Amino acid sequence: MLGGSPVTEPVRYSVEDGIALIAVDNPPVNALSQAVRAGLDAAIARFAEDGEARIAVIYGVGRTFIAGADIREFGKPMAEPFLPDVINRIEASEKPVVAALHGTALGGGLEVALGCHYRVILASGRVGLPEVTLGILPGAGGTQRLPRLSGAEAALDLITSGRQVGAQEADWLNIVDYVAEGEDARAAGLEFARRLLVEECRARRTGEIDPGTKDAELFTSWRETVSRRARGQLSPVVAIDAIEAAYDLPLADGLVRERSLFTELMGSDQRAGLIHAFFAERAVAKIPEAGTATPRDLARIGIIGGGTMGSGIAVAALAGGLTVTLIERDADSAERARSLVEKLLNDGVRRGKMSEARRDALLADAFAAVTDYEALASADLVIEAVFEDMAVKKEVFARLDAVCRPGAILATNTSYLDVDEIAASTSRPADVIGFHFFSPAHVMRLLEVVVGDKTSADVVVTGFALAKKLKKIAVRAGVCDGFIGNRLLNAYRKAADYMVEDGASPYEIDAALVAFGFPMGPFAVSDLAGLDIAWAGRKRRAATRDPRERVVGVADRLCERGWFGQKTGRGYYLYEEGARRGKPDPEVEAIIAAERTEKGIVPRSFDSEEILRRYMAAMINEAAKIVEEGIALRPLDVDVTMLSGYGFPRWRGGPMHYADKVGLDTILADLRSFAEEDPYFWTPARLLVDLAERGGTFADLNKSA
Ligand code: CAA
Ligand code: NAI
């Protein structure tokens, strides 16, 4: 019942001074669940009948207007009323309807607003059509109404990227009519409606606007660019077809076309993968320590080492509002670190991410690069990012132990080393943790929070709080060689090296993985990261290596020639002066051929399907071990690690989601057949065998964890 409805109803109707107020109240984000759609529909019907109300205002209660469809309903049969019908009925209203926006009006939320006759937004508000990032397209009129308001170019931009725009830009793009000051969307909506009543306004329908003639070349060029960028993801490309329909067809037919493309995408595996990624990114924050401990205060942080990682971490921390003191070995190194930080901040200014004034203020007031550890006496947290060498790390931690105040957190950014051993070298192992950032640290979203045997719960939750401040995604990992991400990387890199030795070329392998959706293949990535880093790791591990392990010498041969990748102009690829993309190198192929001959290997050919099967089987098998050992809490933690730190194509949902889709029995059969040639490397993980044999999936473990 509306009107006298209890406050818990998701849509409420009331009238004030001749203005109908339609409040959407469905915490946390006013998603358009069936109850909200039905409530809106009933409210609009009631408004039509209500002789007292001359205009209506739809607004959201709580932190936001409507943040879109209820994503939890995706993949299930949709219940009536359907959103496009509700929006069509809003647009058809004889009396005007105003949308008063605040927070984030996204997806179906913005589509509701586009169906309204007027739109007012608070200055802090944002709007967007993020559907393509979830594997679908705006299916409730967004692709038909947005171009009518903003023109084809803006619609193509916003819909194919899914990017959000602020109130001001929304105004420029004609998406909204008015930007209001203040914090209260209901009040802004009321005031705007009162003004409209004075002006004797009418129901002004977006759908009745003539979109103008189609610029066919514009669509052709967007199709080319978006297809290239999408790397196999369908939704942004299909969305262009829907937008084009706004120009080719009358509104009613355009809406039908949009809906049919929407329904097609809704049924796709890509949609399932992207929705899995969306919820997995939120679920990783659900860790055993959450709720049992409160984060420690974080305002002042120290960073030891201002090289590649230290400088990037410093910039991420500064952008997150923290004060940073960076310690280097000597004055020259400190000066170099300062210039590196300044350069990264300048890049931010150039890209429009930061104003010059803010950069200057950060450098003057929030950042110092010095050599004296005493400067860290009052730090809340210190992150060590010095060379990857246990002796150097221990020496640094001993100094930190001596100067830092009790309660300060001591973190290491090590990529592989034993966090427990580092912790044990201090008098306060409970305060020691691994914060494993990714390069470039001010850009990459992943932070592995590596929890040692003795790390206390409040230190763990502080890691998650830090990630939030830095706009990163934290994944909880246990201690082992490489934690989650680099341990997996080691496994699938080995599978790639084995294939090279057996006959595949690095270029074929890279091409197969790029076709799968990775931005780069593993050999191009090695060239980018620098082959010397992995070389040092191999030398470190050589003494303790299991004699059963198959070892491929190709990378060592390249390193012995001083070919460390992009930075030296040569690695697996040949880089012409200043080029970032390399060309296949016949000399590398000759080196590989010589290695094969020396080992008596007769090369055979690999097609891209086999390359993928081996690469993915190695990744999934190691991931299963990581979950089995408790290094990752759940399969979804592995997925988020690979998606946000290692370029795994998001629309495939991550390796564990992918494995479920392929079928664990298929993966297991592959592993068993590969194990016949090399049981040491390919023997299937127990968890994988158990799951496959009882018909289970990794997704079951996500639910039960
Ligand atoms: N449906 C269901 N649940 C949602 C949701 C949605 N659209 N959006 C957010 N949630 C849930 C989250 O899962 C989270 O739940 P838990 O607390 O249980 O983890 C909770 O709401 C809060 O979300 P966040 O932690 O993300 O909160 P935030 O303040 O950081 O961000 C937000 C808020 C910007 C709205 C962000 O949640 C977001 O981007 N949501 C998705 C918006 C979106 O993509 N909408 C389009 C949907 S598709 C569509 O509308 C097409 C159509 O069919 C009409
Ligand atoms: P880098 O060589 O670029 O920088 C290390 C810096 O530490 C140098 O500037 C050096 O002068 C300084 N330093 C060395 N000893 C010091 C000391 N005792 N006191 C103060 N400063 C000292 O190395 P990079 O790449 O930044 O790596 C740092 C750490 O981060 C390593 O543990 C590495 O494994 C890890 N890491 C590296 C990633 C990468 O992609 N480069 C990714 C994630 C982690």
Side-chain angles (χ1 to χ4, degrees):
M1 253 319 196
L2 292 166
S5 54
V7 281
T8 48
E9 288 235 339
V11 179
R12 296 192 295 276
Y13 182 95
S14 60
V15 182
E16 200 173 306
D17 302 335
I19 301 170
L21 284 159
I22 300 172
V24 180
D25 188 0
N26 182 28
V29 296
N30 295 329
L32 287 158
S33 62
Q34 190 278 337
V36 171
R37 299 195 300 275
L40 276 174
D41 215 25
I44 286 299
R46 177 164 176 167
F47 170 53
E49 300 287 307
D50 191 338
E52 199 192 325
R54 295 163 56 208
I55 189 167
V57 174
I58 302 178
Y59 70 97
V61 175
R63 70 212 247 199
T64 188
F65 185 71
I66 299 165
D70 188 336
I71 303 175
R72 288 172 212 276
E73 291 181 355
F74 286 11
K76 301 178 190 153
M78 266 288 171
E80 289 194 57
F82 302 128
L83 187 60
D85 300 333
V86 175
I87 294 175
N88 287 343
R89 286 196 276 274
I90 295 174
E91 185 168 68
S93 165
E94 293 295 327
K95 295 185 279 186
V97 182
V98 176
L101 313 179
H102 79 294
T104 38
L106 300 178
L110 179 56
E111 290 178 299
V112 167
L114 297 177
C116 293
H117 307 123
Y118 297 89
R119 285 154 297 277
V120 54
I121 186 169
L122 295 187
S124 54
R126 303 181 68 75
V127 304
L129 291 172
E131 284 87 343
V132 298
T133 65
L134 300 172
I136 52 173
L137 53 76
T143 65
Q144 306 304 296
R145 293 193 177 92
L146 186 62
R148 285 176 157 84
L149 282 174
S150 309
E153 183 125 40
L156 283 162
D157 169 21
L158 293 194
I159 293 173
T160 62
S161 68
R163 79 180 173 94
Q164 293 180 18
V165 298
Q168 204 56 62
E169 192 175 351
D171 192 20
W172 292 330
L173 294 174
N174 202 30
I175 297 171
V176 297
D177 300 290
Y178 183 67
V179 180
E181 291 307 322
E183 303 290 316
D184 185 345
R186 180 182 184 275
L190 263 175
E191 193 193 318
F192 190 76
R194 283 197 188 100
R195 276 194 357 233
L196 288 176
L197 283 179
V198 173
E199 292 164 12
E200 289 295 326
C201 67
R202 59 181 184 89
R204 194 191 56 172
R205 297 188 184 89
T206 310
E208 289 173 359
I209 298 171
D210 177 0
T213 23
K214 180 170 87 178
D215 176 350
E217 269 176 37
L218 183 75
F219 279 89
T220 307
S221 81
W222 272 85
R223 258 195 195 95
E224 273 169 25
T225 314
V226 171
S227 308
R228 201 175 51 245
R229 271 199 222 128
R231 283 197 217 108
Q233 190 183 329
L234 293 173
S235 52
V237 188
V238 177
I240 299 179
D241 297 349
I243 301 168
E244 198 166 26
Y247 293 87
D248 292 341
L249 301 171
L251 179 74
D253 297 344
L255 288 173
V256 170
R257 172 99 176 112
E258 174 196 80
R259 197 65 186 171
S260 106
L261 295 170
F262 170 87
T263 310
E264 200 178 289
L265 290 175
M266 187 57 107
S268 68
D269 287 339
Q270 294 202 358
R271 191 273 306 154
L274 287 159
I275 298 289
H276 169 72
F278 178 87
F279 285 118
E281 277 178 358
R282 283 154 181 82
V284 285
K286 294 179 178 133
I287 53 168
E289 292 83 359
T292 68
T294 32
R296 297 188 190 173
D297 286 340
L298 275 184
R300 267 190 264 252
I301 76 159
I303 295 173
I304 317 289
T308 310
M309 293 308 290
S311 57
I313 297 168
V315 169
L318 289 169
L322 300 169
T323 303
V324 177
T325 304
L326 192 151
I327 308 283
E328 259 292 350
R329 291 181 290 178
D330 48 50
D332 283 351
S333 309
E335 191 40 47
R336 192 175 39 93
R338 189 187 167 81
S339 329
L340 265 177
V341 167
E342 205 171 322
K343 181 187 165 297
L344 296 179
L345 290 173
N346 285 339
D347 289 348
V349 172
R350 229 188 359 265
R351 293 209 183 97
K353 291 196 187 287
M354 182 179 290
S355 68
E356 286 188 16
R358 178 151 153 75
R359 172 203 58 198
D360 295 345
L362 288 177
L363 283 170
D365 308 327
F367 179 71
V370 295
T371 56
D372 186 359
Y373 277 67
E374 291 297 331
L376 301 177
S378 63
D380 303 313
L381 157 71
V382 180
I383 303 171
E384 164 279 311
V386 302
F387 305 131
E388 185 77 340
D389 180 307
M390 185 54 98
V392 180
K393 303 243 187 228
K394 280 187 178 169
E395 191 194 313
V396 167
F397 272 77
R399 296 182 73 175
L400 292 176
D401 202 11
V403 299
C404 290
R405 65 170 176 77
I409 296 174
L410 308 184
T412 171
N413 183 49
T414 179
S415 308
Y416 289 96
L417 299 176
D418 185 342
V419 175
D420 288 328
E421 189 179 337
I422 295 174
S425 74
T426 71
S427 65
R428 43 172 120 183
D431 294 336
V432 176
I433 191 163
F435 287 163
H436 183 214
F437 289 83
F438 288 72
S439 179
H442 61 301
V443 176
M444 294 294 287
R445 293 187 71 210
L446 181 62
L447 174 67
E448 269 181 297
V449 172
V450 186
V451 181
D453 275 352
K454 300 222 162 60
T455 311
S456 74
D458 60 342
V459 171
V460 178
V461 295
T462 312
F464 278 72
L466 173 74
K468 201 159 199 168
K469 262 192 207 299
L470 271 44
K471 297 199 167 60
K472 296 198 184 294
I473 300 175
V475 172
R476 187 190 189 285
V479 175
C480 66
D481 196 7
F483 321 124
I484 299 176
N486 281 344
R487 182 167 152 188
L488 279 185
L489 169 76
N490 259 340
Y492 60 77
R493 271 308 266 112
K494 275 186 198 151
D497 286 342
Y498 297 162
M499 285 189 275
V500 165
E501 204 173 54
D502 288 339
S505 88
Y507 316 119
E508 284 169 337
I509 293 176
D510 278 0
L513 288 150
V514 168
F516 182 76
F518 279 94
M520 292 168 103
F523 295 98
V525 169
S526 293
D527 274 3
L528 181 67
L531 302 187
D532 47 332
I533 296 177
W535 195 26
R538 284 195 298 279
K539 287 184 200 157
R540 178 163 52 81
R541 285 192 206 96
T544 53
R545 189 184 290 137
D546 191 310
R548 290 170 300 171
E549 184 182 330
R550 176 177 174 186
V551 180
V552 178
V554 175
D556 290 354
R557 299 297 88 75
L558 302 183
C559 290
E560 283 153 14
R561 288 168 169 77
W563 298 356
F564 294 152
Q566 272 190 32
K567 61 186 169 191
T568 57
R570 271 191 117 146
Y572 287 99
Y573 291 81
L574 195 57
Y575 299 86
E576 276 161 11
E577 189 73 30
R580 296 186 59 189
R581 278 177 74 94
K583 290 201 294 209
D585 185 345
E587 277 189 61
V588 170
E589 295 188 284
I591 292 168
I592 295 168
E595 287 291 302
R596 289 178 191 141
T597 311
E598 202 185 306
K599 287 200 181 172
I601 295 171
V602 180
R604 67 176 182 90
S605 64
F606 286 77
D607 62 16
S608 54
E609 200 216 318
E610 183 176 359
I611 290 172
L612 256 182
R613 281 169 69 169
R614 285 177 178 264
Y615 196 80
M616 294 310 300
M619 191 186 299
I620 292 160
N621 198 31
E622 195 66 25
K625 291 180 195 164
I626 281 173
V627 173
E628 186 182 310
E629 292 167 24
I631 298 296
L633 287 175
R634 299 144 296 204
L636 65 85
D637 298 78
V638 175
D639 282 339
V640 172
T641 303
M642 296 312 289
L643 293 175
S644 49
Y646 294 82
F648 198 97
R650 193 176 165 86
W651 52 271
R652 293 196 189 265
M656 308 309 256
H657 180 87
Y658 174 79
D660 279 348
K661 201 193 128 253
V662 171
L664 299 190
D665 45 354
T666 305
I667 308 279
L668 182 60
D670 274 350
L671 285 167
R672 283 184 170 147
S673 94
F674 304 152
E676 285 170 19
E677 45 189 76
D678 179 356
Y680 178 76
F681 184 71
W682 289 109
T683 295
R686 194 158 26 87
L687 176 69
L688 189 58
V689 176
D690 287 353
L691 280 174
E693 285 180 351
R694 64 179 153 88
T697 61
F698 287 125
D700 299 338
L701 302 183
N702 289 332
K703 282 188 217 122
S704 61

